[in-house]
Amino acid sequence: MRLVLVGPPGAGKGTQAQYVAQYLIVPKISTGDIFRANVGQGTPLGMQAKAFMDAGDLVPDEVTIQMVRDRLAEDDAVKGFLLDGFPRNLPQARVLDTLLLDLGGGVDAVLEMVVDDDEVVRRLSGRRTCRQCGRIWHIDFEPPTTEDICDGCGGPLFQRDDDKEETIRHRLVVYAEQTSPLVSYYADKGILVGIDATGPVDDVTERAIAALRRYAH
Ligand code: ADP
Ligand code: AMP
């Protein structure tokens, strides 16, 4: 299955991607994670992306699309994938369609995760991420047993540079202006399914899986 997650920053895409990708038995491909790994390693790609990420802006399409093209060409993506954070504007969505058409088929389903802006700010200002395994935590809503240590792998947790209130507000504007048009783009294709992404993480996972059941193959 080829699944795309859409929703504002902080909707819980990365959190749910961990579980939904496991359920669908497909790789989770997060463009934000790939960019952050490149920034951390100081690669040319990371150096190109860093200033845009710090400002809460989208990395230019040429850079992002080439990166996704390369990632989707890897063996594990042949049988399907879960995309978290891509596409993020209409040009990216159109390129993805063309890319998949060449491989046969298209996107099977798009899961829209709906939360309001105040919840996003609450979630992102307390988000912590494991430097070692990438697992996502929250200081109040999903706290690790020991502060700043990942329960899963024992790795250190860090706060993302772009999770400052000012940058969060800007990312919400970018989402509204550039990313939210994807909702009607995919609805028009008849492959959009929306869920309420508020409430406990497990409840949201159940809703996501129930919504996707009819698309899974
Ligand atoms: P996104 O990938 O959409 O930006 P994340 O999955 O990183 O969002 O989640 C943002 C923050 O919100 C994280 O700190 C995460 O632990 C927390 N979070 C995710 N889902 C929920 C939920 N259902 N209830 C409360 N907090 C949540
Ligand atoms: P995320 O981890 O999805 O919140 O993404 C973090 C940052 O990475 C974004 O604010 C952008 O700067 C960049 N980014 C991730 N995915 C994309 C994309 N598809 N297009 C452009 N920039 C992206």
Side-chain angles (χ1 to χ4, degrees):
M1 173 159 174
R2 292 165 173 165
L3 174 68
V4 167
L5 298 190
V6 171
K13 299 182 298 297
T15 301
Q16 295 303 328
Q18 302 169 146
Y19 305 115
V20 175
Q22 237 168 35
Y23 167 75
L24 296 172
I25 322 176
V26 293
K28 160 180 105 84
I29 300 176
S30 156
T31 43
D33 284 352
I34 302 175
F35 280 133
R36 275 184 294 281
N38 278 276
V39 170
Q41 291 158 13
T43 67
L45 175 67
M47 286 189 273
Q48 274 178 301
K50 188 175 186 327
F52 296 99
M53 295 174 75
D54 286 348
D57 286 319
L58 296 187
V59 176
D61 285 349
E62 348 31 299
V63 177
T64 307
I65 288 167
Q66 189 53 48
M67 179 178 88
V68 170
R69 204 189 293 272
D70 292 345
R71 179 64 186 87
L72 293 184
E74 287 178 31
D75 289 347
D76 66 341
V78 172
K79 289 214 172 124
F81 48 74
L82 182 162
L83 279 173
D84 161 19
F86 184 92
R88 244 178 162 104
N89 58 26
L90 287 172
Q92 291 181 7
R94 294 192 186 107
V95 168
L96 179 64
D97 284 344
T98 312
L99 212 70
L100 296 181
L101 204 60
D102 290 345
L103 298 170
V107 173
D108 295 309
V110 176
L111 182 72
E112 184 197 3
M113 301 186 52
V114 181
V115 295
D116 66 34
D117 287 5
D118 289 341
E119 178 69 8
V120 160
V121 175
R122 273 195 295 276
R123 287 185 182 186
L124 293 186
S125 37
R127 172 161 63 185
R128 298 290 183 275
T129 309
C130 176
R131 204 172 281 290
Q132 205 159 273
C133 72
R135 186 159 167 179
I136 301 159
W137 299 91
H138 189 283
I139 52 172
D140 300 316
F141 307 142
E142 285 285 304
T145 315
T146 311
E147 199 180 324
D148 289 335
I149 302 289
C150 179
D151 281 10
C153 75
L157 305 187
F158 74 100
Q159 182 168 25
R160 282 171 45 171
D161 290 340
D162 56 351
D163 280 347
K164 297 184 227 92
E165 177 149 0
E166 204 182 295
T167 317
I168 294 169
R169 296 274 176 206
H170 179 64
R171 284 156 64 206
L172 282 169
V173 172
V174 170
Y175 179 79
E177 290 179 356
Q178 301 189 48
T179 309
S180 67
L182 295 180
V183 170
S184 46
Y185 177 80
Y186 287 122
D188 288 349
K189 290 177 181 288
I191 54 172
L192 185 85
V193 46
I195 57 161
D196 170 8
T198 58
V201 170
D202 290 353
D203 291 3
V204 179
T205 308
E206 273 179 31
R207 270 175 235 145
I209 289 174
L212 293 171
R213 208 159 270 145
R214 74 188 163 105
Y215 295 94
H217 58 76

